[in-house]
């Protein structure tokens, strides 16, 4: 555990603003979170955001006098003499800090209530700061608190029960550590057991690492449409009657007549519409639709629909009507999620069209599954988080229509104990309506100013205060801001394999 460390003494306070003199042998960095020990066994948590250096020599006369000790090139003539003038207590470094929160003598945390007294001790965070640390740790650990240039061994995470249903955003340039963070978060969810997680794995990059987890067999389920003979990977397949028109319309661009035909097909054949589209000839379909609805569709219209359905049938292993509900793999997946398992759906070998259809379909099923329960039934189900990578493909400014399942998910899921975690390297491409609903943000390094500005514009003030830190985040470092935490915290995310080793050795 980090040692409690003397850092200095408070020299000025006004409202939530404080100044302190930095002890001569101590380092304090921009962004350091420090503790001011109050007079009544209370504590003030502050964040240093600026410094100034003051000296008794700071006045005009003093500076001129010191300058006179330099040679014509501005170099020091007599170091010993100058040290004498500058040393001792003649020069101080003053830290400027903002109060983040306050803990009373019982350790209960509040937003700032009062300000500390003159000359109180300022120290580094330590394991003594239990209430603050508990709040920051949450129940899903992701990393250690970073304080300036050092990483403190103080765990930081989120509370799943609060964060999941309020939606999460993970943003960072390629290589900033998004995938590693998803792995660490998944691993914490596996350990915790109280939440389900549905990951759409676009690059098939999670299986290898997550299968190292000791609880892999009990808590992780992997699906692939073509599992080959990989151990513990199940074959993903669907039945025709599980596919609704909107799963198809979400995945490709259709003309008005084509859309019309899809909805007419489903109103004529209901659940069996896709089965019939696949089974019957174009001409037979046109005649049947004509007979039932009076509309005569063109062969081109119907064959485009047939062709897309056929492609999906091949790609997603879609077969005829299911014998019974138990046989449905999608339903089995819903069961696993509600029990709090981590479900990995591998999509790497699926075309963009198939991927869109599948993720739409499964997300919608999950929403329907949870929405169909009564409140008391639902209280026995685990909250589930869906991880959507490269989310702007689904939730971009153009893609966002009222029919979009993910848009609906973002606005409705919360009622049903579900949440969305959008992962993206370019948050500026996401629709504002979506960004504004993400209440927990993991901001990793973002190379583009446009992306950082977008997040600042959409988010709360605490992110603005940390603008400089956000600009300088290294790989695996992030700022986490959530609506229930009192302040945004800088974190060094655990490296996945080290996290596992440390925990299970
Ligand atoms: N928290 C971390 N600590 C140490 N190394 C990390 C961390 N996060 C990521 N890395 C390393 O950085 C590289 C890129 O990480 P990755 O998670 O794939 O980034 P992204 O998904 O954002 O492109 C990987 O090699 C990974 O091992
Ligand atoms: Mg990645």
């Amino acid at each position: 555990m980090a040692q409690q460390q003397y850092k200095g003494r408070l020299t000025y306070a006004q409202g939530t603003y404080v100044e302190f003199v930095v002890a001569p042998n101590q380092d304090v960095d921009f962004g350091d979170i420090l503790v001011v020990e109050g007079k009544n066994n209370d504590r003030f948590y502050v964040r240093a955001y600026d410094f100034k250096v003051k000296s008794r020599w700071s006045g005009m006369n003093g500076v001129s006098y010191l300058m006179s000790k330099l040679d014509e090139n501005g170099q020091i003539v007599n170091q010993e003499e100058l040290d004498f003038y500058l040393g001792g207590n003649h020069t101080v470094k003053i830290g400027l800090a903002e109060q983040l929160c306050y803990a009373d003598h019982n350790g209960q945390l509040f937003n700032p209530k009062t300000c500390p007294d003159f000359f109180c001790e300022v120290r580094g965070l330590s394991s003594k700061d239990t209430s603050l640390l508990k709040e920051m740790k949450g129940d899903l650990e992701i990393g250690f608190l970073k304080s300036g240039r050092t990483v403190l061994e103080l765990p930081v995470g989120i509370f799943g029960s609060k964060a999941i249903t309020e939606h999460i955003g993970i943003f960072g340039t390629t290589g900033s550590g998004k995938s590693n963070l998803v792995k660490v978060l998944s691993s914490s969810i596996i350990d915790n057991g109280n939440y389900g997680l549905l990951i759409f794995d676009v690059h098939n990059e999670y299986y290898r690492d997550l299968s190292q987890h000791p609880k892999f067999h009990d808590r992780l389920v992997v699906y692939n449409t073509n599992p080959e003979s990989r151990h513990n990977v199940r074959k993903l397949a669907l039945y025709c009657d599980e596919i609704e028109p909107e799963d198809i319309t979400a995945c490709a661009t259709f003309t008005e007549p084509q859309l019309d035909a899809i909805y007419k097909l489903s109103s004529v054949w209901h659940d069996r519409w896709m089965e019939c589209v696949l089974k019957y000839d174009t001409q037979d379909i046109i005649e049947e639709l004509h007979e039932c609805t009076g509309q005569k569709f063109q062969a081109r219209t119907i064959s485009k629909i047939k062709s897309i359905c056929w492609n999906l049938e091949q790609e997603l292993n879609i077969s005829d009507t299911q014998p019974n509900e138990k046989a449905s793999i999608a339903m089995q997946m819903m069961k696993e999620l509600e029990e709090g398992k981590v479900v990995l759906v591998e999509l790497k070998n699926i075309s963009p069209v198939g991927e869109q259809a599948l993720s739409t379909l499964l997300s919608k099923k999950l929403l329907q599954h949870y929405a169909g329960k009564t409140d008391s039934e639902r209280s026995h189900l685990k909250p589930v988080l869906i991880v959507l990578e490269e989310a702007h493909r689904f939730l971009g400014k153009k893609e966002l229509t009222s029919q979009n399942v993910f848009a609906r998910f973002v606005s409705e899921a919360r009622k049903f104990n579900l949440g969305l975690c959008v992962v993206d390297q370019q948050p500026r491409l996401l629709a504002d309506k979506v960004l504004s609903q993400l209440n927990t943000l993991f901001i990793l390094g973002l190379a583009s100013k446009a992306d950082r500005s977008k997040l600042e514009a959409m988010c709360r003030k605490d992110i603005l205060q940390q603008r400089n830190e956000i600009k300088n985040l290294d790989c695996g470092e992030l700022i986490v801001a959530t609506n229930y935490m009192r302040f945004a915290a800088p974190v060094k995310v655990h490296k996945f394999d080290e996290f596992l080793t440390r925990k299970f050795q």
Side-chain angles (χ1 to χ4, degrees):
M1 269 298 167
Q3 284 300 303
Q4 166 183 351
Q5 215 175 15
Y6 169 66
K7 291 286 188 186
R9 292 276 168 182
L10 190 106
T11 54
Y12 180 83
Q14 182 179 13
T16 55
Y17 169 78
V18 301
E19 287 183 5
F20 59 97
V21 51
V22 179
N25 55 346
Q26 289 296 324
D27 281 323
V28 176
D29 293 344
F30 293 109
D32 267 3
I33 296 173
L34 302 169
V35 191
V36 183
E37 289 282 5
K39 290 251 162 79
N40 309 308
N41 275 326
D42 47 356
R43 288 174 186 159
F44 301 82
Y45 293 99
V46 304
R47 182 186 349 252
Y49 65 87
D50 211 347
F51 298 96
K52 56 188 179 191
V53 170
K54 274 190 183 170
S55 164
R56 62 171 281 211
W57 299 98
S58 294
M60 260 320 268
N61 289 342
V63 173
S64 301
Y65 184 70
L66 291 179
M67 294 289 280
S68 74
K69 299 285 169 197
L70 305 177
D71 69 12
E72 65 272 24
N73 296 319
Q75 301 306 302
I76 295 163
V77 183
N78 184 338
Q79 187 70 48
E80 213 172 312
E81 187 191 16
L82 206 68
D83 285 348
F84 172 75
Y85 289 127
L86 295 181
N89 301 325
H90 299 317
T91 308
V92 290
K93 189 174 180 187
I94 301 288
L96 282 52
E98 186 70 23
Q99 192 185 144
L100 303 166
C101 60
Y102 167 74
D104 70 7
H105 62 283
N106 293 319
Q108 197 182 347
L109 285 184
F110 299 95
N111 287 334
K113 289 262 174 230
T114 172
C115 65
D117 288 303
F118 186 71
F119 227 56
C120 281
E121 181 184 344
V122 178
R123 61 168 173 84
L125 274 181
S126 76
S127 48
K128 270 178 30 180
D129 299 294
T130 39
S131 47
L132 181 76
L133 297 176
K134 198 166 156 223
E135 186 171 284
M136 288 204 293
K137 184 166 187 252
D139 63 351
L140 300 173
E141 182 178 327
I142 57 153
F144 284 142
L145 184 69
K146 224 177 66 125
S147 189
R149 74 191 88 167
T150 48
V151 177
L152 305 174
E153 256 185 59
L154 304 171
V156 183
I158 52 170
F159 281 105
S161 54
K162 295 180 192 164
I164 286 179
T165 57
E166 305 255 305
H167 308 305
I168 298 173
I170 296 180
F171 301 119
T173 309
T174 305
S176 60
K178 297 183 298 299
S179 301
N180 178 70
L181 172 62
V182 172
K183 287 175 204 164
V184 171
L185 193 61
S186 310
S187 169
S188 287
I189 288 180
I190 291 178
D191 288 333
N192 181 291
N194 283 320
Y195 313 103
L197 184 67
L198 172 58
I199 306 179
F200 293 112
D201 184 359
V202 189
H203 307 293
N204 292 12
E205 62 182 325
Y206 294 118
Y207 174 82
R208 209 198 57 191
D209 281 338
L210 291 182
S211 61
Q212 303 300 313
H213 196 288
K215 294 187 191 160
F216 161 64
H217 291 280
D218 298 331
R219 307 290 326 282
L220 182 75
V221 203
V222 188
Y223 290 95
N224 190 310
T225 50
N226 183 18
E228 285 150 359
S229 53
R230 269 191 304 159
H231 196 50
N232 275 312
V233 179
R234 299 190 195 165
K235 182 166 176 166
L236 183 65
L238 295 165
Y239 288 104
C240 275
D241 59 357
E242 293 181 305
I243 321 271
E244 292 186 83
E246 62 182 337
D247 304 324
I248 308 288
T249 57
C251 70
T253 1
F254 291 98
T255 62
E256 281 298 320
Q258 288 163 353
L259 286 174
D260 188 26
I262 293 176
Y263 286 107
K264 290 286 157 33
L265 286 163
S266 105
S267 72
V268 170
W269 280 307
H270 308 286
D271 274 3
R272 297 185 56 234
W273 76 275
M274 187 165 174
E275 187 192 335
C276 295
V277 167
L278 290 168
K279 197 156 67 185
Y280 299 135
D281 286 342
T282 304
Q283 271 318 312
D284 294 343
I285 296 174
I286 291 174
E287 274 165 36
E288 181 71 20
L289 282 181
H290 189 198
E291 212 162 283
C292 298
T293 69
Q295 260 173 294
K296 194 142 176 105
F297 287 97
Q298 293 190 358
R300 244 197 356 236
T301 306
I302 301 300
S303 48
K304 158 100 190 234
I305 297 169
K306 262 180 93 70
S307 142
I308 288 195
C309 288
W310 190 87
N311 289 344
L312 290 175
E313 179 193 26
Q314 304 305 309
E315 210 173 22
L316 305 181
N317 304 326
I318 302 178
S319 47
D320 279 0
T321 321
Q322 50 183 315
N324 59 56
E325 211 186 54
K326 284 213 179 64
S328 159
I329 287 173
M331 278 316 289
Q332 180 187 322
M333 213 184 270
M334 300 302 127
K335 287 255 152 32
E336 286 154 356
L337 287 169
E338 67 176 45
E339 288 167 7
K341 293 194 174 170
V342 174
V343 173
L344 203 55
V345 177
E346 295 188 324
L347 299 168
K348 188 175 170 190
N349 303 318
I350 299 182
S351 71
V353 172
E355 184 197 337
Q356 187 113 21
L358 186 60
S359 37
T360 299
L361 182 141
L362 292 176
S363 306
K364 194 189 58 194
K365 275 234 170 326
L366 184 66
L367 189 61
Q368 288 169 345
H369 185 68
Y370 271 57
K373 306 276 180 186
T374 64
D375 285 348
S376 83
E377 283 171 332
R378 205 178 304 118
S379 66
H380 300 292
L381 311 184
K382 312 286 188 202
V384 178
L385 182 70
I386 297 185
V387 176
L388 200 58
E389 299 220 25
E390 291 167 42
H392 68 264
R393 295 177 303 156
F394 305 99
L395 292 166
K397 296 191 166 87
K398 284 199 294 289
E399 287 71 19
L400 202 75
T401 62
S402 55
Q403 285 179 20
N404 181 313
V405 165
F406 296 104
R408 220 165 67 210
F409 197 92
V410 171
S411 57
E412 292 176 20
R414 185 177 168 171
K415 297 201 285 278
F416 308 122
N417 252 348
L418 302 170
L420 190 67
C421 173
V422 305
V423 182
D424 213 300
Q425 36 175 318
Q426 291 173 294
R428 68 175 188 276
L429 299 181
L430 287 165
D432 287 359
K433 219 177 122 194
V434 174
L435 272 180
S436 66
Q437 302 225 43
L438 307 175
N439 284 304
T440 297
L441 293 182
F442 295 109
I443 305 174
L444 295 129
L446 281 165
S448 140
K449 184 159 188 289
D451 285 318
R452 295 195 305 266
S453 308
K454 184 80 215 173
L455 289 182
E456 284 168 9
M458 295 306 297
C459 301
R460 308 173 334 257
K461 61 170 187 338
D462 46 4
I463 295 187
L464 215 54
Q465 282 174 358
Q466 275 160 292
R467 182 181 254 172
N468 282 329
E469 274 182 79
I470 291 177
K471 218 168 22 187
N472 297 318
L473 290 167
D474 281 334
C475 170
E477 295 177 352
L478 59 78
I479 301 284
V480 52
T482 118
N483 55 352
Y484 65 83
M485 254 192 228
R486 267 160 248 272
F487 55 90
V491 181
K492 167 73 175 69
V493 180
H494 299 309
K495 196 164 191 292
F496 177 77
D497 41 0
E498 291 167 10
F499 183 46
L500 275 198
T501 321
R502 203 175 47 242
K503 235 197 239 165
F504 295 102
Q505 242 177 9

